[in-house]
PDB file of all heavy atoms in Angstrom:
ATOM      1  N   GLY A   1     141.384 -32.322  -0.824  1.00  0.00           N
ATOM      2  CA  GLY A   1     141.097 -31.259  -1.777  1.00  0.00           C
ATOM      3  C   GLY A   1     142.289 -30.968  -2.672  1.00  0.00           C
ATOM      4  O   GLY A   1     143.073 -31.849  -3.004  1.00  0.00           O
ATOM      5  N   HIS A   2     142.440 -29.713  -3.040  1.00  0.00           N
ATOM      6  CA  HIS A   2     143.553 -29.309  -3.911  1.00  0.00           C
ATOM      7  C   HIS A   2     144.648 -28.591  -3.137  1.00  0.00           C
ATOM      8  O   HIS A   2     145.631 -28.154  -3.727  1.00  0.00           O
ATOM      9  CB  HIS A   2     143.025 -28.393  -5.029  1.00  0.00           C
ATOM     10  CG  HIS A   2     142.199 -29.108  -6.045  1.00  0.00           C
ATOM     11  ND1 HIS A   2     142.688 -29.519  -7.257  1.00  0.00           N
ATOM     12  CD2 HIS A   2     140.903 -29.514  -6.014  1.00  0.00           C
ATOM     13  CE1 HIS A   2     141.737 -30.133  -7.945  1.00  0.00           C
ATOM     14  NE2 HIS A   2     140.647 -30.138  -7.202  1.00  0.00           N
ATOM     15  N   SER A   3     144.487 -28.500  -1.807  1.00  0.00           N
ATOM     16  CA  SER A   3     145.467 -27.787  -0.990  1.00  0.00           C
ATOM     17  C   SER A   3     146.367 -28.784  -0.275  1.00  0.00           C
ATOM     18  O   SER A   3     146.349 -29.974  -0.557  1.00  0.00           O
ATOM     19  CB  SER A   3     144.749 -26.875   0.012  1.00  0.00           C
ATOM     20  OG  SER A   3     143.920 -27.646   0.865  1.00  0.00           O
ATOM     21  N   ILE A   4     147.123 -28.304   0.699  1.00  0.00           N
ATOM     22  CA  ILE A   4     148.015 -29.161   1.475  1.00  0.00           C
ATOM     23  C   ILE A   4     147.749 -28.912   2.953  1.00  0.00           C
ATOM     24  O   ILE A   4     147.485 -27.782   3.359  1.00  0.00           O
ATOM     25  CB  ILE A   4     149.495 -28.893   1.126  1.00  0.00           C
ATOM     26  CG1 ILE A   4     150.386 -30.070   1.500  1.00  0.00           C
ATOM     27  CG2 ILE A   4     149.990 -27.601   1.702  1.00  0.00           C
ATOM     28  CD1 ILE A   4     150.519 -31.096   0.422  1.00  0.00           C
ATOM     29  N   SER A   5     147.752 -29.955   3.765  1.00  0.00           N
ATOM     30  CA  SER A   5     147.420 -29.828   5.188  1.00  0.00           C
ATOM     31  C   SER A   5     148.527 -30.456   6.024  1.00  0.00           C
ATOM     32  O   SER A   5     148.311 -31.448   6.726  1.00  0.00           O
ATOM     33  CB  SER A   5     146.071 -30.494   5.488  1.00  0.00           C
ATOM     34  OG  SER A   5     145.030 -29.911   4.748  1.00  0.00           O
ATOM     35  N   TRP A   6     149.716 -29.875   5.958  1.00  0.00           N
ATOM     36  CA  TRP A   6     150.850 -30.432   6.675  1.00  0.00           C
ATOM     37  C   TRP A   6     150.640 -30.431   8.184  1.00  0.00           C
ATOM     38  O   TRP A   6     150.962 -31.388   8.879  1.00  0.00           O
ATOM     39  CB  TRP A   6     152.115 -29.635   6.369  1.00  0.00           C
ATOM     40  CG  TRP A   6     152.639 -29.705   4.974  1.00  0.00           C
ATOM     41  CD1 TRP A   6     152.859 -28.670   4.116  1.00  0.00           C
ATOM     42  CD2 TRP A   6     153.053 -30.873   4.256  1.00  0.00           C
ATOM     43  NE1 TRP A   6     153.365 -29.115   2.920  1.00  0.00           N
ATOM     44  CE2 TRP A   6     153.496 -30.470   2.991  1.00  0.00           C
ATOM     45  CE3 TRP A   6     153.086 -32.231   4.560  1.00  0.00           C
ATOM     46  CZ2 TRP A   6     153.966 -31.360   2.025  1.00  0.00           C
ATOM     47  CZ3 TRP A   6     153.547 -33.123   3.610  1.00  0.00           C
ATOM     48  CH2 TRP A   6     153.981 -32.686   2.369  1.00  0.00           C
ATOM     49  N   ASN A   7     150.114 -29.349   8.730  1.00  0.00           N
ATOM     50  CA  ASN A   7     150.126 -29.164  10.182  1.00  0.00           C
ATOM     51  C   ASN A   7     149.226 -30.161  10.911  1.00  0.00           C
ATOM     52  O   ASN A   7     149.607 -30.723  11.933  1.00  0.00           O
ATOM     53  CB  ASN A   7     149.732 -27.729  10.535  1.00  0.00           C
ATOM     54  CG  ASN A   7     150.777 -26.735  10.077  1.00  0.00           C
ATOM     55  OD1 ASN A   7     151.966 -26.949  10.248  1.00  0.00           O
ATOM     56  ND2 ASN A   7     150.333 -25.644   9.448  1.00  0.00           N
ATOM     57  N   MET A   8     148.020 -30.370  10.382  1.00  0.00           N
ATOM     58  CA  MET A   8     147.124 -31.322  11.038  1.00  0.00           C
ATOM     59  C   MET A   8     147.707 -32.732  10.952  1.00  0.00           C
ATOM     60  O   MET A   8     147.718 -33.479  11.936  1.00  0.00           O
ATOM     61  CB  MET A   8     145.736 -31.289  10.394  1.00  0.00           C
ATOM     62  CG  MET A   8     144.743 -32.226  11.063  1.00  0.00           C
ATOM     63  SD  MET A   8     143.107 -32.186  10.298  1.00  0.00           S
ATOM     64  CE  MET A   8     142.594 -30.517  10.697  1.00  0.00           C
ATOM     65  N   ALA A   9     148.221 -33.101   9.782  1.00  0.00           N
ATOM     66  CA  ALA A   9     148.768 -34.446   9.618  1.00  0.00           C
ATOM     67  C   ALA A   9     150.020 -34.651  10.459  1.00  0.00           C
ATOM     68  O   ALA A   9     150.339 -35.780  10.840  1.00  0.00           O
ATOM     69  CB  ALA A   9     149.071 -34.711   8.152  1.00  0.00           C
ATOM     70  N   ALA A  10     150.752 -33.570  10.745  1.00  0.00           N
ATOM     71  CA  ALA A  10     151.980 -33.673  11.538  1.00  0.00           C
ATOM     72  C   ALA A  10     151.713 -33.770  13.035  1.00  0.00           C
ATOM     73  O   ALA A  10     152.635 -34.033  13.808  1.00  0.00           O
ATOM     74  CB  ALA A  10     152.879 -32.465  11.260  1.00  0.00           C
ATOM     75  N   ASP A  11     150.460 -33.591  13.441  1.00  0.00           N
ATOM     76  CA  ASP A  11     150.118 -33.618  14.867  1.00  0.00           C
ATOM     77  C   ASP A  11     149.974 -35.069  15.324  1.00  0.00           C
ATOM     78  O   ASP A  11     148.875 -35.627  15.374  1.00  0.00           O
ATOM     79  CB  ASP A  11     148.821 -32.839  15.102  1.00  0.00           C
ATOM     80  CG  ASP A  11     148.532 -32.619  16.580  1.00  0.00           C
ATOM     81  OD1 ASP A  11     149.178 -33.287  17.422  1.00  0.00           O
ATOM     82  OD2 ASP A  11     147.671 -31.785  16.894  1.00  0.00           O
ATOM     83  N   VAL A  12     151.104 -35.698  15.629  1.00  0.00           N
ATOM     84  CA  VAL A  12     151.106 -37.106  16.013  1.00  0.00           C
ATOM     85  C   VAL A  12     150.252 -37.340  17.257  1.00  0.00           C
ATOM     86  O   VAL A  12     149.535 -38.333  17.364  1.00  0.00           O
ATOM     87  CB  VAL A  12     152.545 -37.602  16.244  1.00  0.00           C
ATOM     88  CG1 VAL A  12     152.548 -39.052  16.716  1.00  0.00           C
ATOM     89  CG2 VAL A  12     153.355 -37.465  14.970  1.00  0.00           C
ATOM     90  N   LEU A  13     150.319 -36.426  18.211  1.00  0.00           N
ATOM     91  CA  LEU A  13     149.569 -36.607  19.448  1.00  0.00           C
ATOM     92  C   LEU A  13     148.063 -36.643  19.187  1.00  0.00           C
ATOM     93  O   LEU A  13     147.327 -37.397  19.825  1.00  0.00           O
ATOM     94  CB  LEU A  13     149.914 -35.504  20.443  1.00  0.00           C
ATOM     95  CG  LEU A  13     149.371 -35.686  21.864  1.00  0.00           C
ATOM     96  CD1 LEU A  13     149.817 -37.013  22.454  1.00  0.00           C
ATOM     97  CD2 LEU A  13     149.823 -34.535  22.761  1.00  0.00           C
ATOM     98  N   LEU A  14     147.600 -35.828  18.224  1.00  0.00           N
ATOM     99  CA  LEU A  14     146.184 -35.850  17.849  1.00  0.00           C
ATOM    100  C   LEU A  14     145.779 -37.254  17.406  1.00  0.00           C
ATOM    101  O   LEU A  14     144.761 -37.796  17.855  1.00  0.00           O
ATOM    102  CB  LEU A  14     145.930 -34.839  16.731  1.00  0.00           C
ATOM    103  CG  LEU A  14     144.553 -34.913  16.051  1.00  0.00           C
ATOM    104  CD1 LEU A  14     143.467 -34.497  17.015  1.00  0.00           C
ATOM    105  CD2 LEU A  14     144.529 -34.036  14.800  1.00  0.00           C
ATOM    106  N   PHE A  15     146.586 -37.855  16.544  1.00  0.00           N
ATOM    107  CA  PHE A  15     146.259 -39.182  16.042  1.00  0.00           C
ATOM    108  C   PHE A  15     146.451 -40.237  17.126  1.00  0.00           C
ATOM    109  O   PHE A  15     145.700 -41.214  17.190  1.00  0.00           O
ATOM    110  CB  PHE A  15     147.087 -39.500  14.794  1.00  0.00           C
ATOM    111  CG  PHE A  15     146.602 -38.755  13.584  1.00  0.00           C
ATOM    112  CD1 PHE A  15     147.101 -37.500  13.290  1.00  0.00           C
ATOM    113  CD2 PHE A  15     145.626 -39.287  12.772  1.00  0.00           C
ATOM    114  CE1 PHE A  15     146.646 -36.802  12.188  1.00  0.00           C
ATOM    115  CE2 PHE A  15     145.159 -38.597  11.672  1.00  0.00           C
ATOM    116  CZ  PHE A  15     145.663 -37.344  11.373  1.00  0.00           C
ATOM    117  N   ASN A  16     147.460 -40.065  17.978  1.00  0.00           N
ATOM    118  CA  ASN A  16     147.615 -40.986  19.106  1.00  0.00           C
ATOM    119  C   ASN A  16     146.346 -41.021  19.947  1.00  0.00           C
ATOM    120  O   ASN A  16     145.906 -42.087  20.399  1.00  0.00           O
ATOM    121  CB  ASN A  16     148.792 -40.562  19.982  1.00  0.00           C
ATOM    122  CG  ASN A  16     150.134 -40.932  19.382  1.00  0.00           C
ATOM    123  OD1 ASN A  16     150.203 -41.648  18.390  1.00  0.00           O
ATOM    124  ND2 ASN A  16     151.203 -40.443  19.972  1.00  0.00           N
ATOM    125  N   ARG A  17     145.750 -39.848  20.165  1.00  0.00           N
ATOM    126  CA  ARG A  17     144.578 -39.771  21.041  1.00  0.00           C
ATOM    127  C   ARG A  17     143.349 -40.361  20.371  1.00  0.00           C
ATOM    128  O   ARG A  17     142.597 -41.133  20.984  1.00  0.00           O
ATOM    129  CB  ARG A  17     144.331 -38.321  21.447  1.00  0.00           C
ATOM    130  CG  ARG A  17     145.359 -37.816  22.453  1.00  0.00           C
ATOM    131  CD  ARG A  17     145.244 -36.315  22.671  1.00  0.00           C
ATOM    132  NE  ARG A  17     146.146 -35.884  23.741  1.00  0.00           N
ATOM    133  CZ  ARG A  17     146.461 -34.635  23.978  1.00  0.00           C
ATOM    134  NH1 ARG A  17     145.961 -33.655  23.235  1.00  0.00           N
ATOM    135  NH2 ARG A  17     147.274 -34.321  24.972  1.00  0.00           N
ATOM    136  N   ILE A  18     143.119 -39.998  19.101  1.00  0.00           N
ATOM    137  CA  ILE A  18     141.941 -40.516  18.392  1.00  0.00           C
ATOM    138  C   ILE A  18     142.056 -42.022  18.210  1.00  0.00           C
ATOM    139  O   ILE A  18     141.139 -42.784  18.526  1.00  0.00           O
ATOM    140  CB  ILE A  18     141.780 -39.808  17.036  1.00  0.00           C
ATOM    141  CG1 ILE A  18     141.401 -38.342  17.243  1.00  0.00           C
ATOM    142  CG2 ILE A  18     140.729 -40.510  16.178  1.00  0.00           C
ATOM    143  CD1 ILE A  18     141.370 -37.535  15.957  1.00  0.00           C
ATOM    144  N   GLN A  19     143.207 -42.476  17.686  1.00  0.00           N
ATOM    145  CA  GLN A  19     143.390 -43.897  17.446  1.00  0.00           C
ATOM    146  C   GLN A  19     143.511 -44.672  18.748  1.00  0.00           C
ATOM    147  O   GLN A  19     143.044 -45.814  18.848  1.00  0.00           O
ATOM    148  CB  GLN A  19     144.622 -44.117  16.556  1.00  0.00           C
ATOM    149  CG  GLN A  19     144.396 -43.574  15.149  1.00  0.00           C
ATOM    150  CD  GLN A  19     145.648 -43.326  14.349  1.00  0.00           C
ATOM    151  OE1 GLN A  19     145.600 -42.780  13.271  1.00  0.00           O
ATOM    152  NE2 GLN A  19     146.799 -43.706  14.873  1.00  0.00           N
ATOM    153  N   GLY A  20     144.128 -44.046  19.766  1.00  0.00           N
ATOM    154  CA  GLY A  20     144.217 -44.689  21.072  1.00  0.00           C
ATOM    155  C   GLY A  20     142.859 -44.905  21.695  1.00  0.00           C
ATOM    156  O   GLY A  20     142.606 -45.938  22.334  1.00  0.00           O
ATOM    157  N   ASP A  21     141.949 -43.948  21.506  1.00  0.00           N
ATOM    158  CA  ASP A  21     140.587 -44.102  22.027  1.00  0.00           C
ATOM    159  C   ASP A  21     139.865 -45.243  21.316  1.00  0.00           C
ATOM    160  O   ASP A  21     139.187 -46.058  21.956  1.00  0.00           O
ATOM    161  CB  ASP A  21     139.817 -42.794  21.849  1.00  0.00           C
ATOM    162  CG  ASP A  21     138.365 -42.918  22.272  1.00  0.00           C
ATOM    163  OD1 ASP A  21     138.110 -43.137  23.470  1.00  0.00           O
ATOM    164  OD2 ASP A  21     137.476 -42.817  21.392  1.00  0.00           O
ATOM    165  N   LEU A  22     140.003 -45.318  19.993  1.00  0.00           N
ATOM    166  CA  LEU A  22     139.393 -46.420  19.253  1.00  0.00           C
ATOM    167  C   LEU A  22     140.001 -47.754  19.687  1.00  0.00           C
ATOM    168  O   LEU A  22     139.293 -48.750  19.833  1.00  0.00           O
ATOM    169  CB  LEU A  22     139.580 -46.210  17.748  1.00  0.00           C
ATOM    170  CG  LEU A  22     138.831 -45.016  17.143  1.00  0.00           C
ATOM    171  CD1 LEU A  22     139.258 -44.811  15.696  1.00  0.00           C
ATOM    172  CD2 LEU A  22     137.321 -45.218  17.224  1.00  0.00           C
ATOM    173  N   TYR A  23     141.319 -47.758  19.901  1.00  0.00           N
ATOM    174  CA  TYR A  23     142.010 -48.968  20.353  1.00  0.00           C
ATOM    175  C   TYR A  23     141.464 -49.402  21.711  1.00  0.00           C
ATOM    176  O   TYR A  23     141.174 -50.589  21.930  1.00  0.00           O
ATOM    177  CB  TYR A  23     143.507 -48.688  20.441  1.00  0.00           C
ATOM    178  CG  TYR A  23     144.373 -49.877  20.757  1.00  0.00           C
ATOM    179  CD1 TYR A  23     145.095 -50.519  19.759  1.00  0.00           C
ATOM    180  CD2 TYR A  23     144.484 -50.372  22.059  1.00  0.00           C
ATOM    181  CE1 TYR A  23     145.901 -51.624  20.037  1.00  0.00           C
ATOM    182  CE2 TYR A  23     145.277 -51.473  22.352  1.00  0.00           C
ATOM    183  CZ  TYR A  23     145.986 -52.084  21.337  1.00  0.00           C
ATOM    184  OH  TYR A  23     146.774 -53.174  21.621  1.00  0.00           O
ATOM    185  N   ALA A  24     141.306 -48.453  22.625  1.00  0.00           N
ATOM    186  CA  ALA A  24     140.857 -48.772  23.982  1.00  0.00           C
ATOM    187  C   ALA A  24     139.443 -49.339  23.991  1.00  0.00           C
ATOM    188  O   ALA A  24     139.100 -50.176  24.834  1.00  0.00           O
ATOM    189  CB  ALA A  24     140.934 -47.527  24.860  1.00  0.00           C
ATOM    190  N   ARG A  25     138.618 -48.889  23.059  1.00  0.00           N
ATOM    191  CA  ARG A  25     137.226 -49.349  23.005  1.00  0.00           C
ATOM    192  C   ARG A  25     137.037 -50.522  22.042  1.00  0.00           C
ATOM    193  O   ARG A  25     135.912 -50.913  21.750  1.00  0.00           O
ATOM    194  CB  ARG A  25     136.311 -48.186  22.607  1.00  0.00           C
ATOM    195  CG  ARG A  25     136.260 -47.073  23.643  1.00  0.00           C
ATOM    196  CD  ARG A  25     135.204 -46.031  23.333  1.00  0.00           C
ATOM    197  NE  ARG A  25     135.525 -45.218  22.176  1.00  0.00           N
ATOM    198  CZ  ARG A  25     134.823 -45.176  21.037  1.00  0.00           C
ATOM    199  NH1 ARG A  25     133.753 -45.944  20.908  1.00  0.00           N
ATOM    200  NH2 ARG A  25     135.176 -44.403  20.047  1.00  0.00           N
ATOM    201  N   ASN A  26     138.157 -51.058  21.534  1.00  0.00           N
ATOM    202  CA  ASN A  26     138.116 -52.183  20.589  1.00  0.00           C
ATOM    203  C   ASN A  26     137.276 -51.872  19.366  1.00  0.00           C
ATOM    204  O   ASN A  26     136.592 -52.742  18.804  1.00  0.00           O
ATOM    205  CB  ASN A  26     137.599 -53.462  21.276  1.00  0.00           C
ATOM    206  CG  ASN A  26     138.548 -53.942  22.354  1.00  0.00           C
ATOM    207  OD1 ASN A  26     139.753 -53.782  22.253  1.00  0.00           O
ATOM    208  ND2 ASN A  26     137.990 -54.531  23.407  1.00  0.00           N
ATOM    209  N   ARG A  27     137.372 -50.624  18.926  1.00  0.00           N
ATOM    210  CA  ARG A  27     136.656 -50.203  17.724  1.00  0.00           C
ATOM    211  C   ARG A  27     137.580 -50.253  16.517  1.00  0.00           C
ATOM    212  O   ARG A  27     138.800 -50.214  16.643  1.00  0.00           O
ATOM    213  CB  ARG A  27     136.108 -48.784  17.886  1.00  0.00           C
ATOM    214  CG  ARG A  27     135.228 -48.565  19.086  1.00  0.00           C
ATOM    215  CD  ARG A  27     133.951 -49.378  19.011  1.00  0.00           C
ATOM    216  NE  ARG A  27     133.195 -49.119  17.796  1.00  0.00           N
ATOM    217  CZ  ARG A  27     132.038 -49.689  17.499  1.00  0.00           C
ATOM    218  NH1 ARG A  27     131.515 -50.583  18.332  1.00  0.00           N
ATOM    219  NH2 ARG A  27     131.411 -49.401  16.384  1.00  0.00           N
ATOM    220  N   SER A  28     136.986 -50.300  15.346  1.00  0.00           N
ATOM    221  CA  SER A  28     137.766 -50.351  14.110  1.00  0.00           C
ATOM    222  C   SER A  28     138.405 -49.003  13.821  1.00  0.00           C
ATOM    223  O   SER A  28     137.787 -47.945  14.011  1.00  0.00           O
ATOM    224  CB  SER A  28     136.865 -50.740  12.938  1.00  0.00           C
ATOM    225  OG  SER A  28     137.526 -50.541  11.703  1.00  0.00           O
ATOM    226  N   TYR A  29     139.634 -49.040  13.301  1.00  0.00           N
ATOM    227  CA  TYR A  29     140.297 -47.798  12.895  1.00  0.00           C
ATOM    228  C   TYR A  29     139.616 -47.151  11.692  1.00  0.00           C
ATOM    229  O   TYR A  29     139.929 -46.006  11.344  1.00  0.00           O
ATOM    230  CB  TYR A  29     141.767 -48.059  12.567  1.00  0.00           C
ATOM    231  CG  TYR A  29     142.659 -48.149  13.776  1.00  0.00           C
ATOM    232  CD1 TYR A  29     143.822 -48.905  13.736  1.00  0.00           C
ATOM    233  CD2 TYR A  29     142.358 -47.482  14.956  1.00  0.00           C
ATOM    234  CE1 TYR A  29     144.665 -48.994  14.832  1.00  0.00           C
ATOM    235  CE2 TYR A  29     143.179 -47.562  16.058  1.00  0.00           C
ATOM    236  CZ  TYR A  29     144.336 -48.324  15.997  1.00  0.00           C
ATOM    237  OH  TYR A  29     145.161 -48.400  17.088  1.00  0.00           O
ATOM    238  N   LEU A  30     138.698 -47.841  11.044  1.00  0.00           N
ATOM    239  CA  LEU A  30     137.936 -47.211   9.969  1.00  0.00           C
ATOM    240  C   LEU A  30     137.148 -46.010  10.495  1.00  0.00           C
ATOM    241  O   LEU A  30     136.797 -45.113   9.724  1.00  0.00           O
ATOM    242  CB  LEU A  30     136.970 -48.223   9.344  1.00  0.00           C
ATOM    243  CG  LEU A  30     137.613 -49.391   8.583  1.00  0.00           C
ATOM    244  CD1 LEU A  30     136.548 -50.391   8.161  1.00  0.00           C
ATOM    245  CD2 LEU A  30     138.380 -48.881   7.374  1.00  0.00           C
ATOM    246  N   GLU A  31     136.897 -45.986  11.802  1.00  0.00           N
ATOM    247  CA  GLU A  31     136.113 -44.905  12.392  1.00  0.00           C
ATOM    248  C   GLU A  31     136.914 -43.624  12.584  1.00  0.00           C
ATOM    249  O   GLU A  31     136.352 -42.599  12.969  1.00  0.00           O
ATOM    250  CB  GLU A  31     135.525 -45.363  13.730  1.00  0.00           C
ATOM    251  CG  GLU A  31     134.547 -46.513  13.602  1.00  0.00           C
ATOM    252  CD  GLU A  31     133.982 -46.955  14.941  1.00  0.00           C
ATOM    253  OE1 GLU A  31     133.869 -46.106  15.849  1.00  0.00           O
ATOM    254  OE2 GLU A  31     133.662 -48.151  15.088  1.00  0.00           O
ATOM    255  N   VAL A  32     138.234 -43.664  12.320  1.00  0.00           N
ATOM    256  CA  VAL A  32     139.019 -42.444  12.468  1.00  0.00           C
ATOM    257  C   VAL A  32     138.502 -41.359  11.539  1.00  0.00           C
ATOM    258  O   VAL A  32     138.542 -40.167  11.859  1.00  0.00           O
ATOM    259  CB  VAL A  32     140.520 -42.725  12.221  1.00  0.00           C
ATOM    260  CG1 VAL A  32     140.793 -43.078  10.761  1.00  0.00           C
ATOM    261  CG2 VAL A  32     141.374 -41.528  12.621  1.00  0.00           C
ATOM    262  N   GLN A  33     137.956 -41.757  10.381  1.00  0.00           N
ATOM    263  CA  GLN A  33     137.435 -40.764   9.443  1.00  0.00           C
ATOM    264  C   GLN A  33     136.198 -40.050  10.003  1.00  0.00           C
ATOM    265  O   GLN A  33     135.947 -38.891   9.686  1.00  0.00           O
ATOM    266  CB  GLN A  33     137.110 -41.418   8.106  1.00  0.00           C
ATOM    267  CG  GLN A  33     136.051 -42.489   8.174  1.00  0.00           C
ATOM    268  CD  GLN A  33     135.939 -43.288   6.894  1.00  0.00           C
ATOM    269  OE1 GLN A  33     136.668 -43.055   5.944  1.00  0.00           O
ATOM    270  NE2 GLN A  33     135.017 -44.245   6.859  1.00  0.00           N
ATOM    271  N   ASP A  34     135.431 -40.743  10.857  1.00  0.00           N
ATOM    272  CA  ASP A  34     134.268 -40.110  11.470  1.00  0.00           C
ATOM    273  C   ASP A  34     134.700 -39.085  12.518  1.00  0.00           C
ATOM    274  O   ASP A  34     134.037 -38.053  12.709  1.00  0.00           O
ATOM    275  CB  ASP A  34     133.360 -41.161  12.109  1.00  0.00           C
ATOM    276  CG  ASP A  34     132.859 -42.179  11.089  1.00  0.00           C
ATOM    277  OD1 ASP A  34     132.590 -41.779   9.944  1.00  0.00           O
ATOM    278  OD2 ASP A  34     132.756 -43.372  11.446  1.00  0.00           O
ATOM    279  N   GLU A  35     135.820 -39.381  13.200  1.00  0.00           N
ATOM    280  CA  GLU A  35     136.305 -38.459  14.221  1.00  0.00           C
ATOM    281  C   GLU A  35     136.797 -37.154  13.600  1.00  0.00           C
ATOM    282  O   GLU A  35     136.656 -36.081  14.184  1.00  0.00           O
ATOM    283  CB  GLU A  35     137.450 -39.113  15.000  1.00  0.00           C
ATOM    284  CG  GLU A  35     137.054 -40.357  15.783  1.00  0.00           C
ATOM    285  CD  GLU A  35     136.128 -40.031  16.939  1.00  0.00           C
ATOM    286  OE1 GLU A  35     136.250 -38.933  17.504  1.00  0.00           O
ATOM    287  OE2 GLU A  35     135.268 -40.877  17.265  1.00  0.00           O
ATOM    288  N   LEU A  36     137.399 -37.230  12.417  1.00  0.00           N
ATOM    289  CA  LEU A  36     137.955 -36.031  11.777  1.00  0.00           C
ATOM    290  C   LEU A  36     137.096 -35.508  10.637  1.00  0.00           C
ATOM    291  O   LEU A  36     137.398 -34.457  10.070  1.00  0.00           O
ATOM    292  CB  LEU A  36     139.371 -36.334  11.266  1.00  0.00           C
ATOM    293  CG  LEU A  36     140.422 -36.437  12.371  1.00  0.00           C
ATOM    294  CD1 LEU A  36     141.748 -36.931  11.820  1.00  0.00           C
ATOM    295  CD2 LEU A  36     140.629 -35.099  13.059  1.00  0.00           C
ATOM    296  N   GLY A  37     136.055 -36.239  10.268  1.00  0.00           N
ATOM    297  CA  GLY A  37     135.113 -35.722   9.277  1.00  0.00           C
ATOM    298  C   GLY A  37     135.637 -35.661   7.867  1.00  0.00           C
ATOM    299  O   GLY A  37     135.159 -34.865   7.055  1.00  0.00           O
ATOM    300  N   PHE A  38     136.609 -36.489   7.540  1.00  0.00           N
ATOM    301  CA  PHE A  38     137.175 -36.482   6.193  1.00  0.00           C
ATOM    302  C   PHE A  38     137.280 -37.913   5.697  1.00  0.00           C
ATOM    303  O   PHE A  38     137.818 -38.781   6.387  1.00  0.00           O
ATOM    304  CB  PHE A  38     138.568 -35.836   6.200  1.00  0.00           C
ATOM    305  CG  PHE A  38     139.318 -35.988   4.899  1.00  0.00           C
ATOM    306  CD1 PHE A  38     138.904 -35.302   3.768  1.00  0.00           C
ATOM    307  CD2 PHE A  38     140.410 -36.824   4.814  1.00  0.00           C
ATOM    308  CE1 PHE A  38     139.582 -35.447   2.560  1.00  0.00           C
ATOM    309  CE2 PHE A  38     141.107 -36.978   3.619  1.00  0.00           C
ATOM    310  CZ  PHE A  38     140.678 -36.282   2.487  1.00  0.00           C
ATOM    311  N   HIS A  39     136.767 -38.156   4.494  1.00  0.00           N
ATOM    312  CA  HIS A  39     136.855 -39.483   3.906  1.00  0.00           C
ATOM    313  C   HIS A  39     137.531 -39.383   2.549  1.00  0.00           C
ATOM    314  O   HIS A  39     137.223 -38.492   1.746  1.00  0.00           O
ATOM    315  CB  HIS A  39     135.474 -40.105   3.722  1.00  0.00           C
ATOM    316  CG  HIS A  39     135.530 -41.454   3.060  1.00  0.00           C
ATOM    317  ND1 HIS A  39     136.020 -42.572   3.694  1.00  0.00           N
ATOM    318  CD2 HIS A  39     135.186 -41.848   1.807  1.00  0.00           C
ATOM    319  CE1 HIS A  39     135.971 -43.599   2.868  1.00  0.00           C
ATOM    320  NE2 HIS A  39     135.461 -43.190   1.708  1.00  0.00           N
ATOM    321  N   ALA A  40     138.454 -40.288   2.299  1.00  0.00           N
ATOM    322  CA  ALA A  40     139.152 -40.356   1.013  1.00  0.00           C
ATOM    323  C   ALA A  40     139.018 -41.772   0.481  1.00  0.00           C
ATOM    324  O   ALA A  40     139.388 -42.735   1.152  1.00  0.00           O
ATOM    325  CB  ALA A  40     140.623 -39.984   1.174  1.00  0.00           C
ATOM    326  N   THR A  41     138.491 -41.911  -0.708  1.00  0.00           N
ATOM    327  CA  THR A  41     138.265 -43.222  -1.301  1.00  0.00           C
ATOM    328  C   THR A  41     139.557 -44.028  -1.353  1.00  0.00           C
ATOM    329  O   THR A  41     140.576 -43.556  -1.841  1.00  0.00           O
ATOM    330  CB  THR A  41     137.702 -43.067  -2.724  1.00  0.00           C
ATOM    331  OG1 THR A  41     136.487 -42.312  -2.660  1.00  0.00           O
ATOM    332  CG2 THR A  41     137.429 -44.427  -3.349  1.00  0.00           C
ATOM    333  N   GLY A  42     139.495 -45.223  -0.846  1.00  0.00           N
ATOM    334  CA  GLY A  42     140.606 -46.153  -0.993  1.00  0.00           C
ATOM    335  C   GLY A  42     141.599 -46.184   0.149  1.00  0.00           C
ATOM    336  O   GLY A  42     142.404 -47.114   0.218  1.00  0.00           O
TER     337      GLY A  42
END
C-alpha cells in the first residue's frame, strides 16, 4: 500500500516458520504469499 510495515517484515522468526514449513513439505516458496495474504506483482 502507501504505508510502511517495518515490524512484520522485521520478524525473522515469522518468516523462518512459514518458509521452513514450505521447505519441509517440499512446497514452492511462491506459496508464502498465500500464508500472509499479500501479493505484490513481480
Side-chain angles (χ1 to χ4, degrees):
H2 289 261
S3 60
I4 201 89
S5 300
W6 293 123
N7 293 316
M8 182 180 294
D11 190 346
V12 177
L13 189 56
L14 169 68
F15 286 89
N16 283 351
R17 287 170 174 166
I18 292 174
Q19 293 161 187
D21 176 65
L22 293 172
Y23 186 102
R25 294 188 290 116
N26 295 327
R27 305 296 304 181
S28 168
Y29 280 153
L30 293 173
E31 297 180 30
V32 68
Q33 62 191 1
D34 300 323
E35 296 292 328
L36 287 172
F38 171 70
H39 178 71
T41 302

